[in-house]
Amino acid sequence: MESEAIVSLTGSTLTYDYKELPSRCSDDEIKNYVRRTRELFNPTARDFDDARNTEWFIRSYLALKYVLASTVLANSAEYAEQPNLQVTLPYLRYYTLLNCSRSFLLTLPCLDWRGETTIEMTHSNILNLTGDKLKRLDRRHEIAIKPRLLAAKDQRELFSYRFPSTGLGIFGDEVVTVDEVVGIARLLTELAQINLACLESLMQKHHSDRRFGLLDVDDMWHTMRFNGATASLIDDEDYTRVAYL
């Protein structure tokens, strides 16, 4: 299926160059995914208000940041394939996948929003839930991708906590490669794009002449505040962007 056809299915007026979906998925898989996503979003869009606008602003903003983070990590991983930087690869590959998984999940209409609890899901929950939700394309995608997400996690942890003397060679043919990571990450990103494109098109259908505001709620701070063990930090760039939007 051509990229233009996928955009047309979502009903969105925004263009997007889909690359991974057409190469991995059948036309029927894509059509069924978009159709079901629109069905799930329709009640949300129909009954939209300031509270839902605030929720989906937060979800969309965080999803975009996770894609940005993954882009930086993936580019660093491609550079780090030089022999003297091999030790960084398990970390870079894993967090590229984790961040795109988070972006995909945050944009799903079937994932309930629970504020900080949703944002700070454990890594295992994120990976398992991502695999489970890929069944919405087809179960074969869950079977193919979920084990690779978990393998990337295992490989990162082995180098973080045990550090085998053999280096990356210990994984043999099971090593999660940079090219494989980029392909999976792009698929998850394109699904996130489809999700939000479906919501955007339904908002145009139900509320083309309305504007919605953002509520001053605690959850909004999750877009710009970073709590650590020793300090709570506010990112000035995030604060400025959120205020502008």
Side-chain angles (χ1 to χ4, degrees):
M1 181 178 291
E2 296 294 328
S3 183
E4 293 81 2
I6 301 176
V7 173
S8 178
L9 285 174
T10 66
S12 175
T13 58
L14 306 175
T15 60
Y16 190 87
D17 185 15
Y18 293 95
K19 297 179 179 179
E20 202 69 25
L21 273 166
S23 65
R24 284 182 182 260
C25 305
S26 69
D27 289 0
D28 284 343
E29 287 173 347
I30 297 172
K31 289 177 182 177
N32 289 335
Y33 182 90
V34 173
R35 176 187 56 78
R36 183 58 178 150
T37 299
R38 287 179 59 85
E39 288 176 354
L40 290 169
F41 263 131
N42 194 54
T44 298
R46 187 182 58 243
D47 300 327
F48 218 68
D49 55 17
D50 287 352
R52 283 184 167 163
N53 188 51
T54 303
E55 173 192 330
W56 281 98
F57 169 83
I58 296 169
R59 291 170 71 142
S60 303
Y61 188 82
L62 291 174
L64 178 61
K65 285 185 63 178
Y66 290 139
V67 172
L68 175 61
S70 288
T71 303
V72 174
L73 291 162
N75 284 329
S76 299
E78 289 179 339
Y79 176 79
E81 283 194 290
Q82 300 301 319
N84 60 327
L85 290 174
Q86 291 285 306
V87 70
T88 67
L89 285 175
Y91 175 92
L92 295 170
R93 291 185 299 218
Y94 172 63
Y95 281 99
T96 297
L97 293 173
L98 183 74
N99 282 321
C100 283
S101 294
R102 298 175 84 181
S103 180
F104 167 58
L105 293 177
L106 280 169
T107 60
L108 283 172
C110 50
L111 183 77
D112 291 338
W113 174 249
R114 296 188 176 92
E116 191 171 12
T117 301
T118 301
I119 297 170
E120 298 186 359
M121 284 191 291
T122 66
H123 289 206
S124 293
N125 283 344
I126 292 169
L127 301 181
N128 286 316
L129 192 56
T130 297
D132 180 64
K133 295 303 182 182
L134 284 171
K135 285 190 294 190
R136 293 188 53 227
L137 274 173
D138 189 86
R139 190 165 185 271
R140 69 184 181 91
H141 296 291
E142 178 196 22
I143 293 171
I145 293 174
K146 184 177 179 179
R148 304 309 287 161
L149 297 177
L150 297 175
K153 180 176 182 289
D154 287 343
Q155 291 172 20
R156 193 276 299 175
E157 289 180 347
L158 192 61
F159 267 83
S160 296
Y161 306 127
R162 297 294 301 278
F163 209 90
S165 300
T166 309
L168 297 181
I170 194 173
F171 304 124
D173 293 338
E174 292 302 309
V175 68
V176 181
T177 67
V178 173
D179 286 344
E180 183 181 9
V181 163
V182 169
I184 295 173
R186 183 181 289 125
L187 174 67
L188 294 170
T189 300
E190 291 180 2
L191 289 173
Q193 170 64 24
I194 280 182
N195 295 338
L196 292 180
C198 288
L199 176 60
E200 181 265 339
S201 68
L202 288 167
M203 289 299 298
Q204 290 296 322
K205 174 183 177 181
H206 292 295
H207 306 289
S208 61
D209 59 344
R210 288 191 62 186
R211 295 281 185 179
F212 295 94
L214 294 174
L215 302 180
D216 184 13
V217 295
D218 289 343
D219 280 350
M220 189 66 77
W221 287 100
H222 298 318
T223 62
M224 65 191 89
R225 183 169 59 200
F226 302 86
N227 296 320
T230 60
S232 179
L233 306 173
I234 302 293
D235 186 281
D236 289 341
E237 289 293 325
D238 285 321
Y239 188 89
T240 300
R241 290 190 176 102
V242 169
Y244 172 77
L245 292 169

